[in-house]
Amino acid sequence: MSEQLAILGGSKIKTTPYGTGKRFGEEEVKELVEALEQNTLFYHSGRKVKQFLERFNALYGVTYSVATSSGTGALHVAIGSAGISVGDEVITSPITDAGSIIGILYQNAIPVFADLDPHTYNMTAESIRARITPKTKAIIVVHLAGNPADMDPIMELARERGLIVIEDCAQSYLTYYQGRLVGTIGDYGCFSTNDYKHISTGDGGIVTVNSQSEEDYQRTHAFADKNYGRFGNLVQREMRLLAPNYRMTELQGAVGIAQLSKLIWICDKRSQYGDRLTYGIKDIPGIIPHQVTTDGRCTYWFYMFTIEPTVLTCSRDEFAEALQAEGIECSAGYIPQPVYMQPMFQKREAYTGSHFPFDLSDIAYGEGLCPTAEHILKQAIRVTINEFYNEQDIEDMIAGIRKVAAHYSESGLEVV
């Protein structure tokens, strides 16, 4: 007989608050004071953004990277400097933030969506191959929630078809795929330092340029700065091509320096806690854990599992509500629907009063386009993973999920 749920009047599992901690401290203050004492907050004149990138490059083992004002900006910079232009098609994930899409449309290119693996929640080479047309120019691989996509077959496909690969690593710091850091495998890697990521500078981003070409680096650097060339003693201000201003400030760079010093600890804790959660729930009928890609390491920006409604006698929303009543922080789903179901795609209107660039393509965005992604979002429950949690927090989460599943299980699962 399963234990009475808290939502039905029973005792709740989690009776203690989650572990908390301060993200920012004296380290950030010290760097900010030094930035202010430079008497400039412009990245090219000061030292903080440069130091931030130097330390990031050393951590990631890359030669070239460019700082940006946001993760969205980082993706736009990679897309633009790669030469993606009017009418080109770019394949990406239907479960992602708008930031993965905005740069495509700003370049007047066409977003194309490939379906996902049902357990890792990432695109596969097979799903990407099914979307390639003669207009395809690039693939934006989203490593969702800290979980690496299966990159080897994706890279093999890209090289076979002559496609650019941009890795969206906004949620995936120090995530490994077969011993390699994601963000260093494709042509470009894009990171976010938004306040809701592993490390925060308030807002900010980084683009790695993985070709090891100084020419590619200078082009990428310029695209983040109005296509100005800030190399050598003279600034090249010729308006050769349209480019935005996505410059990172010295204040962001200063905070980034201090945040980077904590990144290994943050990611190690998140990996430990997420893997422990999987181990604790992997045998529960009706619960499908967040599966880490084979030979990968996940750093869990969040943890998302799905429920199997043919096994449990409740809906996804009912399960989430019962879990919340047990004191376990969670939400039903991640984003409400795949990106292609958003009004912009349904109306085919990126700019007010215009169907451009959608009118360059006959691609249809409608329900059923990516059935696996749609199923994931309908059955997913997201729980928070945080480096400041303690081990008891994770054990409580496991116990809460087991308790709710036991109540709704037709198999008579006992809570252990």
Side-chain angles (χ1 to χ4, degrees), residues 4 16 37 66 72 111 129 143 152 215 237 347 366 397:
Q4 181 84 328
T16 58
E37 287 177 346
V66 174
T72 301
R129 185 183 293 274
H143 302 289
D152 279 352
E215 181 182 354
R237 296 177 182 268
K347 295 191 299 180
M397 292 164 70

Side-chain angles (χ1 to χ4, degrees), residues 250-292:
E250 286 289 276
L251 295 177
Q252 291 167 294
V255 174
I257 292 168
Q259 288 279 287
L260 276 179
S261 68
K262 307 170 186 180
L263 184 58
I264 292 175
W265 172 77
I266 289 169
C267 292
D268 285 350
K269 277 291 184 184
R270 286 174 173 261
S271 289
Q272 173 193 337
Y273 289 156
D275 289 348
R276 171 59 191 142
L277 184 54
T278 292
Y279 185 81
I281 67 174
K282 67 180 181 179
D283 64 335
I284 305 176
I287 300 295
I288 304 171
H290 195 156
Q291 180 179 305
V292 179

Side-chain angles (χ1 to χ4, degrees), residues 111-411:
V112 177
F113 298 96
D115 213 350
L116 308 180
D117 178 274
H119 306 307
T120 66
Y121 318 137
N122 287 323
M123 292 190 302
T124 66
E126 293 78 12
S127 67
I128 293 168
R129 185 183 293 274
R131 299 293 197 238
I132 294 175
T133 76
K135 293 183 177 180
T136 306
K137 292 298 192 299
I139 305 164
I140 297 179
V141 180
V142 179
H143 302 289
L144 192 71
N147 195 18
D150 190 5
M151 288 300 294
D152 279 352
I154 292 174
M155 292 303 299
E156 183 179 349
L157 173 62
R159 297 303 175 240
E160 171 193 324
R161 297 299 186 92
L163 304 177
I164 295 157
V165 175
I166 298 168
E167 296 181 78
D168 182 345
C169 308
Q171 302 177 358
S172 298
Y173 278 94
L174 296 184
T175 292
Y176 283 87
Y177 171 78
Q178 297 188 5
R180 292 166 287 167
L181 282 163
V182 303
T184 68
I185 302 169
D187 298 288
Y188 301 88
C190 299
F191 297 80
S192 170
T193 57
N194 174 274
D195 205 45
Y196 299 99
K197 299 302 186 291
H198 290 73
I199 57 173
S200 169
T201 62
D203 253 316
I206 307 163
V207 184
T208 60
V209 184
N210 299 327
S211 66
Q212 304 300 312
S213 161
E214 185 172 356
E215 181 182 354
D216 288 347
Y217 163 63
Q218 291 193 6
R219 184 175 61 253
T220 306
H221 190 282
F223 194 87
D225 190 0
K226 300 183 288 188
N227 262 330
Y228 287 2
R230 297 186 191 275
F231 298 93
N233 294 325
L234 297 176
V235 178
Q236 301 295 326
R237 296 177 182 268
E238 294 177 350
M239 292 185 66
R240 291 168 286 116
L241 289 169
L242 180 66
N245 174 357
Y246 285 136
R247 299 184 300 228
M248 177 179 278
T249 74
E250 286 289 276
L251 295 177
Q252 291 167 294
V255 174
I257 292 168
Q259 288 279 287
L260 276 179
S261 68
K262 307 170 186 180
L263 184 58
I264 292 175
W265 172 77
I266 289 169
C267 292
D268 285 350
K269 277 291 184 184
R270 286 174 173 261
S271 289
Q272 173 193 337
Y273 289 156
D275 289 348
R276 171 59 191 142
L277 184 54
T278 292
Y279 185 81
I281 67 174
K282 67 180 181 179
D283 64 335
I284 305 176
I287 300 295
I288 304 171
H290 195 156
Q291 180 179 305
V292 179
T293 303
T294 303
D295 295 327
R297 182 222 197 190
C298 184
T299 54
Y300 299 101
W301 186 62
F302 58 80
Y303 189 104
M304 194 160 71
F305 64 90
T306 57
I307 70 165
E308 183 50 65
T310 60
V311 177
L312 301 176
T313 61
C314 65
S315 69
R316 184 274 308 272
D317 291 357
E318 288 171 333
F319 193 105
E321 188 178 1
L323 193 57
Q324 290 166 354
E326 297 297 335
I328 309 303
E329 295 179 357
C330 72
S331 62
Y334 172 37
I335 56 176
Q337 55 194 348
V339 176
Y340 55 78
M341 295 301 296
Q342 293 290 327
M344 177 173 64
F345 289 94
Q346 296 305 297
K347 295 191 299 180
R348 301 176 75 85
E349 186 179 51
Y351 304 105
T352 302
S354 172
H355 293 298
F356 186 79
F358 293 116
D359 55 8
L360 301 176
S361 169
D362 59 2
I363 292 174
Y365 302 107
E367 191 170 355
L369 179 62
C370 297
T372 302
E374 292 173 19
H375 176 80
I376 290 167
L377 291 176
K378 289 174 182 175
Q379 302 303 335
I381 294 176
R382 180 167 58 112
V383 295
T384 303
I385 297 288
N386 190 288
E387 60 273 13
F388 293 117
Y389 286 178
N390 57 50
E391 292 182 4
Q392 187 58 51
D393 292 329
I394 305 303
E395 297 307 314
D396 288 344
M397 292 164 70
I398 293 168
I401 295 168
R402 297 188 71 86
K403 179 182 176 182
V404 175
H407 178 86
Y408 289 117
S409 176
E410 293 181 339
S411 64

Side-chain angles (χ1 to χ4, degrees), residues 102-118:
I102 288 169
I104 301 173
L105 287 167
Y106 265 124
Q107 291 304 110
N108 295 311
I110 308 298
V112 177
F113 298 96
D115 213 350
L116 308 180
D117 178 274

